[in-house]
Amino acid sequence: MIVNTWDKVWDKSISPDIHPELIKVIKHFSSGKKILEIGFGTGGDLSSLKKDGFICYGLEINKIAYKHAVKGRLFKSFLGNGEKTSFKEKQFDLIFHQGVLEHFRDPSRFMSEHYRILKPGGTIVIDVPHKWNLYTLYRNIYKLFGCWYGGWERSYNARELKNLAWRSGFKPIAIYYRGIWPHRWGKFLFPERIIKRRWIRLVIDKPPVIWIQKLSLALYRISELIQIVSSYNIILVAKRRKLKLAVDVMPLNAKGGAVRRYVREILSLLPKDDYAFVKRKPDIYHATNNWGIPVFRSFPIVTTIHDVIPLAFNDYFKKSKIPLISKLIYRLKMQTTLWLSRVVICTDAINAKEIIKNFLVDSKKISIIPMAVSNVFFEKRNENIGRSYILNHGGLEQRKNIEKLIRSFSLTKDLELIITGENFELVKDLKKLVSKLKISGRVKFVGWVSERKVATMVKNAKCVVYSSLAEGFGLPMLEAMAAGTPIVASNIPILRKIGEEIPIYVNPNSTSSIYKGIIKAISGIPKSRLSKGKAIARNYTWEKVAKKTYEVYFDTIFRLNQ
């Protein structure tokens, strides 16, 4: 619509249009030489800046304007849309445009693209129609009768423009006004011209009496105000700022676990040029562990939901004093979290489907970002543990099905079973079972183990057994694939999706099935199968997780927050 409207304007012989006030502002505030103008029109401003030594780029959406500006052009030009450009991230020192922003009903994508391609600390200069002036009234009358040549457009006052810039990731640093309408008023209204008049300068500097000085200053301020009201354009200068991010770091207090690893990697890999971590008044808040979001807030919230195991595992609330009440509280907390979150990150599409099925939530809110494997699991480790063992390092909970694993293990010979994780009550019950089965010397509960040591244990194990009844993602299985260790895994949808055909799948409810899976795994798995497992695991990197999470933050702040 905008392009068609402006075709009539550009389909003429138009001389290069130069805006001296705008060029003066650009020269003063540019932090570097690389400049981009969006909607360069005749290319007059860029040609003028090019002569002053700037490296100039121009982007134009209108083909006719682009064609007109080709002749004698001194800058690199591109035909395209300002909402989605082909430029690389953090490429320009300054971006400016004149008469462009006002044509966007929703400028969020346009402004977010500025942030993406501008260098940290870079500058934007925006020239738009000023709302509070006589020219706006004149233009609105024409628009009312459909006679305005520019089609639909809006105007801004200083406050609106500053708020838009701040929401879009920029810190306003200056406001200027340019252009006087009616034009003949200019010689009377510019304060700079008034102040240069000799008699006014004398009155202000050396007044005969004090009240004359005060009156002269008052008249000067009034002329400034009249200039603002009479100026038909307003120029905003703003710097690219760091976005303020608040993250729930409570999972870091845990000794281990997938969620702790997730939060640690997110914090370490997010670009420090773009984000500053804060405790108060953030641009965005990330709840990293299923819930725990502030109810009364004025900022958008992103929540990562790692699993919906309480819905999939029937005995989850079995040990609660009142299981029904506990389940209702869980559903209430989860539903509140989904309502208040602007975006919900799920680690897998299967979890997302369960959430949509069991709760009232818009599916458009949900973004899928899988977990990842740390590089330590890919490293070569030749440490000799000195014994043959199978390993379970998925944590100690009822749903991990450790009891069935121990019963299955009791049927084997000449092996040890090492179980990591801490859960005092559960370990107490499991040790009784081990004693009853008379395999105390072959089952080791080693408690919490550091990630590096776990990687060594996984690498040297005969196989990793992951016979869980319910999972949110299955990270321990992926870690075993990265290490090239045979895996025995439960035949449940989430693990089949992640593991593909690499693990030996078993029925987690059958002791016999788990036992047969262990025997098959320790008997020897083809190296080609283990190598393929490594290749699959390499697709799950924390760098990808951080990049996708950054994109979610970006979309939430810039595009969904307008």
Side-chain angles (χ1 to χ4, degrees), residues 65-337:
Y66 182 83
K67 183 180 176 181
H68 273 300
V70 168
K71 299 172 183 177
R73 191 171 350 194
L74 300 174
F75 54 88
K76 295 180 181 179
S77 59
F78 300 86
L79 192 65
N81 189 343
E83 291 182 309
K84 191 175 181 181
T85 70
S86 59
F87 299 117
K88 295 179 181 178
E89 291 183 3
K90 302 173 185 176
Q91 188 172 346
F92 296 101
D93 297 300
L94 183 142
I95 298 172
F96 76 98
H97 42 85
Q98 188 274 327
V100 176
L101 182 68
E102 63 265 29
H103 295 289
F104 289 92
R105 294 181 187 272
D106 177 10
S108 56
R109 289 184 181 276
F110 183 59
M111 294 295 288
S112 69
E113 187 65 4
H114 289 26
Y115 192 91
R116 187 185 71 82
I117 63 178
L118 196 66
K119 292 179 182 177
T123 309
I124 58 169
V125 179
I126 300 173
D127 189 339
V128 292
H130 184 212
K131 179 176 281 188
W132 306 120
N133 67 87
L134 297 171
Y135 188 69
T136 299
L137 179 62
Y138 163 79
R139 185 179 65 237
N140 287 342
I141 292 171
Y142 268 73
K143 284 164 64 178
L144 184 65
F145 292 99
C147 302
W148 184 248
Y149 72 92
W152 184 91
E153 62 181 47
R154 62 167 296 178
S155 51
Y156 292 85
N157 59 37
R159 184 175 180 181
E160 290 171 343
L161 203 52
K162 286 179 179 179
N163 288 341
L164 174 63
W166 182 264
R167 291 199 311 269
S168 302
F170 298 93
K171 182 181 179 181
I173 56 175
I175 286 284
Y176 296 93
Y177 297 90
R178 76 169 183 87
I180 294 294
W181 192 88
H183 302 293
R184 65 185 66 181
W185 289 18
K187 64 179 69 176
F188 303 107
L189 293 179
F190 277 104
E192 294 83 359
R193 292 178 181 174
I194 292 173
I195 208 74
K196 284 178 183 177
R197 291 175 186 172
R198 190 178 176 189
W199 66 271
I200 293 181
R201 185 77 264 167
L202 288 172
V203 169
I204 292 177
D205 292 342
K206 297 178 181 180
V209 288
I210 193 68
W211 68 267
I212 294 179
Q213 182 188 34
K214 290 183 177 180
L215 179 61
S216 300
L217 286 170
L219 290 172
Y220 175 73
R221 297 303 179 199
I222 290 169
S223 71
E224 276 190 323
L225 180 61
I226 295 173
Q227 181 196 355
I228 291 172
V229 174
S230 302
S231 297
Y232 53 77
N233 270 43
I234 181 171
I235 300 174
L236 168 79
V237 182
K239 290 280 186 183
R240 187 184 195 269
R241 65 181 176 89
K242 286 187 176 183
L243 302 171
K244 295 187 288 183
L245 171 65
V247 178
D248 176 13
V249 295
M250 286 295 289
L252 294 178
N253 295 329
K255 282 187 176 181
V259 179
R260 182 182 186 276
R261 210 168 301 156
Y262 172 77
V263 176
R264 184 193 69 194
E265 297 293 344
I266 288 294
L267 294 179
S268 66
L269 291 172
L270 282 175
K272 302 301 185 288
D273 287 339
D274 299 329
Y275 290 96
F277 295 106
V278 298
K279 292 183 178 180
R280 296 183 178 181
K281 296 182 179 179
D283 292 310
I284 190 168
Y285 174 78
H286 187 179
T288 54
N289 192 15
N290 292 358
W291 47 55
I293 65 175
V295 177
F296 302 103
R297 80 282 181 268
S298 57
F299 43 81
I301 294 171
V302 172
T303 302
T304 299
I305 296 180
H306 297 275
D307 59 64
V308 283
I309 287 168
L311 300 177
F313 184 49
N314 294 329
D315 293 334
Y316 190 87
F317 299 105
K318 186 177 180 180
K319 292 197 173 183
S320 300
K321 290 183 178 179
I322 310 176
L324 181 61
I325 297 297
S326 297
K327 191 170 185 177
L328 287 173
I329 291 172
Y330 166 80
R331 294 189 71 91
L332 179 62
K333 287 169 71 175
M334 186 64 79
Q335 185 63 71
T336 304
T337 297

Side-chain angles (χ1 to χ4, degrees), residues 455-472:
T456 301
M457 294 169 71
V458 170
K459 192 75 175 177
N460 290 280
K462 285 289 184 181
C463 72
V464 169
V465 185
Y466 200 46
S467 54
S468 181
L469 295 170
E471 279 302 327

Side-chain angles (χ1 to χ4, degrees), residues 416-442:
E416 286 188 1
L417 171 61
I418 297 179
I419 301 171
T420 68
E422 292 182 348
N423 185 327
F424 180 77
E425 289 295 327
L426 185 57
V427 168
K428 187 178 177 181
D429 293 339
L430 291 174
K431 282 184 175 180
K432 288 180 181 178
L433 174 63
V434 167
S435 179
K436 182 180 176 182
L437 295 171
K438 298 179 181 181
I439 52 173
S440 300
R442 294 201 293 138

